[in-house]
């Protein structure tokens, strides 16, 4: 029921043509679309009812993310409603409760500022938060901050005296400079510079020197939801390709009747189904046993990355020359698959996680 409702809304309000329109207009975010999503309760899907959320869980968040992937809907759902919401849920204080309520209402959006190098590596964070009286001074640069140019607040990972600390900062605080950088899929991924940015103890999310206690569940929630979105990307590309095979004729014959193309389509369908199963399992693990969900989450992200790549490559090839043109939508799916592959850990990162946890 949730999937059907989401599909109906997205087909009408955020089809692929909507993304094309945003790109052509030089925009990377549609506040009205996000407000509509929040009004339907999507922003609070992982938040408790006390904060205005519905507390439906990670499996349900994956359902929404997958439907968004099918139409390439552009929104801060992953960074705000999934990652930030999960991080705030780890902290039981009034400030976190107020922040969650603002997320659920759609009033505030977040971005995650952790990456510094070319690859996802939170533990290798080098940005410094030095002691300054009862507070800190942050200096450094964060790259690939998805939704960072539009976000109201930033979750910032920095190195303190004895470990890593996570800060929840307003994006307009003195010393923070954001440079919007469009990704290949026309979404926002900013570079954020921190120059002597003041932070107090109230800005710390969780405990000083213990960021991963808050950040690890949030990252795994984001990775699982991103995997679900990428499975939606694969499904959207697959559906478009099968539709074309049923319509395109060569020498008076539907190309869908060619056995070689049938085999390729059948193989891709099997990959999509196996990946959907892995993603559903990751959602169940996050809901029922989050302390032991890492293997399921990394397996889902690795499979979703590989499946989305296969789906868009097959889509372009089976469409032939038209698949390479900007006027045709398949290229948008290919670009989203490529950007999603890098965010929150690429195939190699998650394959290594799976191998390590399986004892190889």
């Amino acid at each position: 029921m949730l999937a059907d409702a989401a599909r109906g809304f997205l087909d009408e309000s955020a089809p692929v043509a909507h993304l094309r329109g945003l790109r052509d207009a030089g925009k990377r975010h549609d506040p009205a679309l996000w407000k509509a999503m929040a009004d339907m309760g999507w922003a609070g899907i992982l938040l408790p009812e006390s904060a205005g959320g519905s507390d439906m869980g990670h499996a349900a968040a994956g359902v929404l993310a997958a439907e968004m992937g099918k139409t390439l809907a552009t929104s801060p759902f992953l960074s705000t409603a999934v990652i930030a919401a999960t991080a705030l849920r780890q902290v039981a204080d009034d400030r976190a409760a107020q922040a969650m309520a603002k997320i659920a209402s759609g009033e505030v959006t977040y971005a995650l500022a952790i990456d510094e190098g070319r690859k996802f590596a939170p533990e290798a964070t080098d940005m410094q938060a030095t002691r300054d009286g009862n507070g800190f001074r942050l200096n450094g640069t964060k790259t690939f901050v998805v939704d960072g140019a539009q976000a109201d607040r930033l979750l910032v990972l920095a190195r303190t005296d004895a470990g890593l600390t996570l800060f929840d900062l307003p994006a307009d605080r003195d010393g923070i400079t954001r440079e919007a950088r469009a990704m290949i899929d026309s979404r926002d991924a900013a570079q954020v510079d921190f120059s002597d940015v003041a932070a107090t103890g109230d800005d710390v999310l969780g405990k000083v020197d213990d960021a991963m206690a808050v950040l690890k569940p949030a990252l795994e929630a984001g990775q699982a939801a991103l995997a679900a979105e990428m499975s939606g990307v694969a499904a959207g590309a697959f559906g478009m390709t099968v539709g074309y095979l049923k319509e395109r004729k060569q020498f008076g014959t539907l190309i869908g009747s060619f056995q070689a193309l049938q085999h390729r389509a059948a193989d891709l369908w099997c990959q999509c189904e196996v990946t959907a199963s892995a993603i559903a399992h990751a959602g169940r693990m996050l809901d029922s046993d989050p302390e032991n969900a890492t293997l399921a989450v990394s397996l889902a992200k690795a499979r979703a990355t590989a499946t989305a790549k296969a789906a868009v490559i097959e889509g372009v090839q089976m469409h032939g020359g038209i698949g390479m043109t900007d006027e045709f939508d398949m290229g948008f799916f290919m670009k989203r698959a490529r950007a999603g592959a890098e965010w929150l850990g690429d195939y190699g990162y998650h394959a290594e996680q799976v191998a390590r946890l399986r004892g190889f």
Side-chain angles (χ1 to χ4, degrees), residues 248-251 253-263:
R248 178 74 167 95
K249 289 184 177 181
Q250 285 186 357
F251 307 108
T253 302
L254 288 170
I255 64 174
S257 65
F258 300 160
Q259 194 174 58
L261 297 184
Q262 290 177 352
H263 286 175

Side-chain angles (χ1 to χ4, degrees), residues 44-70:
I45 196 164
L46 292 179
L47 296 175
E49 293 182 9
S50 60
S54 58
D55 207 8
M56 292 185 69
H58 295 278
V63 169
L64 292 180
E67 295 304 322
M68 292 182 198
K70 291 177 183 177

Side-chain angles (χ1 to χ4, degrees), residues 37 42 46 57-58 61 78 94 123 147 186 191 195 222 225 234 277 281 295 308 319 327 334-335:
M37 290 179 176
W42 294 8
L46 292 179
H58 295 278
L78 291 181
D94 292 339
E123 295 83 358
D147 300 320
S186 303
Q191 175 175 307
S195 178
S277 178
H281 178 57
L295 175 59
H319 276 87
E327 289 77 10
M334 177 170 275
K335 292 170 184 176

Side-chain angles (χ1 to χ4, degrees), residues 62-310:
V63 169
L64 292 180
E67 295 304 322
M68 292 182 198
K70 291 177 183 177
T71 66
L72 305 181
T74 300
S75 79
F77 177 76
L78 291 181
S79 17
T80 299
V82 176
I83 297 173
T86 302
L88 289 164
R89 285 202 70 160
Q90 312 308 309
V91 182
D93 60 27
D94 292 339
R95 181 175 172 277
Q98 293 173 7
M100 286 190 287
K102 290 181 179 180
I103 287 178
S105 67
E107 181 182 347
V108 169
T109 60
Y110 275 80
L112 183 65
I114 57 174
D115 289 327
E116 296 177 4
R118 299 180 64 181
K119 291 294 182 180
F120 174 77
E123 295 83 358
T125 292
D126 190 51
M127 180 175 169
Q128 299 297 309
T130 56
R131 289 281 186 177
D132 182 29
N134 292 327
F136 300 87
R137 292 282 175 175
L138 279 64
N139 289 278
T141 298
K142 296 293 184 180
T143 60
F144 201 30
V145 182
V146 176
D147 300 320
Q150 312 292 334
D152 301 302
R153 301 190 68 85
L154 302 171
L155 293 181
V156 185
L157 185 64
R159 190 164 296 279
T160 43
D161 294 336
L164 296 172
T165 301
L166 189 64
F167 296 88
D168 181 354
L169 302 175
D172 59 357
R173 179 161 291 180
D174 288 346
I176 296 178
T177 304
R178 296 183 285 177
E179 180 182 347
R181 295 186 174 182
M183 293 189 285
I184 58 171
D185 65 345
S186 303
R187 293 186 64 185
D188 159 33
Q191 175 175 307
V192 185
D193 296 310
F194 298 79
S195 178
D196 211 27
V197 177
T200 69
D202 290 338
D203 295 320
V204 174
L205 195 60
K207 296 180 180 179
V208 174
D209 298 326
D210 192 22
M212 296 312 292
V214 172
L215 189 57
K216 182 176 180 290
L219 289 176
E220 291 186 350
Q223 288 160 348
L226 179 56
E229 181 183 294
M230 294 182 71
S231 76
V233 171
F238 176 72
M240 185 181 296
T241 300
V242 170
Y244 186 73
L245 295 181
K246 293 178 178 179
E247 296 174 356
R248 178 74 167 95
K249 289 184 177 181
Q250 285 186 357
F251 307 108
T253 302
L254 288 170
I255 64 174
S257 65
F258 300 160
Q259 194 174 58
L261 297 184
Q262 290 177 352
H263 286 175
R264 290 168 66 177
D267 177 69
L268 183 55
W269 180 85
C270 292
Q271 291 187 52
C272 290
E273 290 298 301
V274 173
T275 297
S277 178
I279 290 165
H281 178 57
R284 286 193 294 267
M285 287 296 293
L286 286 170
D287 286 331
S288 62
D289 189 10
E291 295 296 324
N292 297 300
T294 303
L295 175 59
V297 169
S298 281
L299 179 61
K301 179 61 164 66
R303 275 217 59 91
T305 297
T307 301
K309 179 180 178 180

